[in-house]
Amino acid sequence: TIGMVVIHKTGHVAAGTSTNGLKFKIPGRVGDSPIPGAGAYAEDMIGAAAATGDGDILMRFLPSYQAVEYMRRGDHPTTACQKVIAKIQKYFPKFFGAIICANVMGSYGAACNKHPTFTQFSFMVYNSLRIQPTEEKVDCI
Amino acid sequence: FSPLPLVLNTWPFKNATDAAWRTLVSGGTAVDAVENGCAVCETERCEGTVGFGGSPDEVGETTLDAMIMDGATMNVGAVGDLRRIKNAIGVARRVLDHTTHTLLVGDSATNFAESMGFTVEDLSTTTSKSLHSEWASKNCQPNFWRRVTPDPSKYCGPYKPSGSLEWAISAHKQVDIHNHD
């Protein structure tokens, strides 16, 4: 899956996802990716977020919507992402998932749920301070 | 000094990031950038987790999900379980631009895509067929069934509901960095 967040220089915000889902899913199964607020969410004046992982779990928590709401209340994108992961952890400690968050000021962050096979999450960043796309990593929590 | 514009995407899919950035630099909107960035992943298939030829379902078919959201208007276009169309994010964009709906699914989404000018084609590849054959040869392991008979941790379907309350398989063990939404 790819989840993408774009903040235009005017402050206009958009987000999106594209995926072929899980291997060997039951035919007809749809994950979180095409669900607004789950796979991704965007709101001008606030920011945007996109989630990735086990869509059957993620979609139950509307993580992208929740992250944007945290940012609306003033949380830094990193904090917003971490709060979302922490919420899901309470119910599914071993879930596979990560989220990226960005606000209209251009700040961004990411978070992921740590388990033995997933300790770091890689994501890509490109902004006006860089001359090329840059891979960044966060330690899962 | 403003760090805007900003492109951020999950996983180390560099070419998608670059495509979105180039869209912005050439005067495109944020929505254009998301569409073009995700479309690159659909073409390149991004580690097999996006686009055609990846993640076959139980019958060996690849289906696609995609969504695009405009934060200025709160308009959304999305497709789920899209069959036989490669450019899922493009179809989602058409849902956003040319309908007042939010999400189209399955064969009806395919029909919509065809009416919008998208090519209907097989999404399977040698790789996806091989993946599915290997899975079937291993008694359909792993799978996402529970509380059915025959025992889904040992046998293929078709399945019927059973009275057992046991979880046959933990889904957590099946979803990882190579297999995700």
Side-chain angles (χ1 to χ4, degrees), chain A residues 1 3 5 7 12-13 15-21 23-25 29 32 41 44 52-53 55 122 124 126-129, chain B residues 1-3 5-11 17 42 48-49 51 55-56 58 65 67 69-72 74 178-181:
Chain A
T1 302
V5 165
I7 315 285
H12 187 96
V13 178
T17 59
S18 183
T19 186
N20 53 30
K23 294 184 181 84
F24 316 123
K25 56 187 164 292
R29 181 265 189 191
D32 65 310
Y41 196 73
D44 272 20
T52 183
S122 296
M124 296 299 304
Y126 204 164
N127 62 19
S128 63
L129 307 178
Chain B
F1 189 76
S2 172
L6 168 68
V7 176
L8 196 65
N9 63 264
T10 57
W11 307 109
T17 323
E42 291 175 348
T49 67
S55 303
E58 285 195 336
D65 304 334
M67 186 253 291
M69 181 168 190
D70 182 344
M74 304 306 279
H178 305 295
N179 182 28
H180 53 73
D181 293 294

